């Protein structure tokens, strides 16, 4: 078995970051998903899907589309450990991904019409999310590589199915895990927001 978390581990110093080191498999009936709001150098949302015992991950700079047909860029990044789904806090300056992380949404998901891993490998996932905030259908589609400089796989995150309510500012700034705002999470770690 290849260590799917090798990249995740080599990018981090667990003596410095409060992020989990991995190694605790979770087994529920349905696979979980998590969306984290991450105020790194650039604010983005990390969308993670449980697959193969890890969290397959995409950085979505502009967040989730809510109107059918709307699409957002989603850049695939390294796999994270399952425990990352419960992580909320501040990654210290000087560490990879420094900045505050909020557990923005969490729940279970299904891939419609295919096995999740097969759909991932084929580059198209018809997702049904059952989160605390987001419920409904979204689709992830792998885009063809456009240039040699493109190192990370680029995907599109599309709203499929029907529209969902637009995300209000209050909902956008409230943790699904703790109801805290980004500012409250940052301050709990003694960080300036
Ligand atoms: Mn991130």
């Amino acid at each position: 078995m290849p260590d799917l978390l090798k990249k995740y581990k080599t990018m981090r110093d667990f003596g410095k970051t409060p992020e989990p080191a991995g190694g605790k498999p979770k087994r529920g009936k349905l696979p979980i998903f998590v969306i984290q709001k991450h105020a790194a150098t650039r604010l983005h949302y990390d969308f993670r899907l449980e697959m193969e015992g890890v969290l397959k991950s995409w950085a979505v700079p502009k967040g989730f589309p809510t109107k059918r047909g709307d699409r957002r860029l989603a850049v695939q990044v390294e796999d994270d450990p399952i425990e990352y789904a419960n992580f909320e806090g501040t990654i210290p300056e000087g560490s990879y991904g420094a900045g505050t992380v909020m557990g923005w949404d969490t729940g279970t998901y299904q891939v419609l019409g295919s096995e999740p891993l097969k759909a991932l490998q084929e580059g198209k996932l018809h997702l049904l999310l059952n989160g605390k905030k987001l419920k409904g259908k979204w689709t992830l589609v792998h885009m063809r590589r456009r240039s040699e400089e493109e190192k990370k796989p680029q995907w599109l995150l599309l709203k499929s199915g029907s529209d969902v309510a637009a995300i209000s500012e209050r909902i956008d700034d409230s943790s699904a895990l703790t109801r805290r705002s980004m500012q409250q999470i940052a301050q709990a770690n003694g960080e300036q927001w």
Side-chain angles (χ1 to χ4, degrees), residues 5 16 42 73 80 94-95 100 113 117 124 139 141 153 172 174 190:
L5 297 177
K16 292 189 179 143
R42 280 190 199 166
L73 175 69
D80 276 15
S95 293
T100 296
L117 195 57
K124 196 164 197 178
T139 303
V141 185
D172 183 58
S174 170

Side-chain angles (χ1 to χ4, degrees), residues 37 102 104 133 166-176:
K37 186 175 176 179
M102 168 193 281
W104 191 85
K133 293 180 185 176
I167 296 155
S168 69
E169 265 181 55
R170 185 186 60 81
I171 288 172
D172 183 58
D173 198 30
S174 170
S175 165

Side-chain angles (χ1 to χ4, degrees), residues 17-128:
T17 180
E19 296 165 289
K24 286 182 203 151
K26 158 256 155 208
R27 277 285 122 216
K29 210 173 169 204
L30 284 173
I32 59 160
F33 84 90
V34 63
I35 301 165
Q36 287 160 325
K37 186 175 176 179
H38 185 185
T41 314
R42 280 190 199 166
L43 180 78
H44 61 272
Y45 295 78
D46 289 297
F47 180 37
R48 309 185 196 279
L49 297 170
E50 179 188 2
M51 250 182 253
E52 293 190 288
V54 294
L55 295 172
K56 301 291 175 187
S57 301
W58 290 260
V60 185
K62 295 190 174 165
F64 269 63
T66 56
K67 277 205 156 76
R68 180 182 170 86
D70 280 0
R71 52 193 64 199
R72 303 278 165 83
L73 175 69
V75 181
Q76 195 174 0
V77 294
E78 81 279 5
D79 297 345
D80 276 15
I82 290 290
E83 306 99 283
Y84 213 94
N86 299 316
F87 174 70
E88 186 168 85
T90 299
I91 301 168
E93 274 309 311
S95 293
Y96 173 73
T100 296
V101 176
M102 168 193 281
W104 191 85
D105 198 13
T106 182
T108 57
Y109 80 95
Q110 289 168 266
V111 173
L112 305 173
S114 178
E115 284 297 311
L117 195 57
K118 186 165 178 277
L120 180 80
Q121 286 159 350
E122 289 174 352
K124 196 164 197 178
L125 298 103
H126 294 286
L127 299 163
L128 180 62

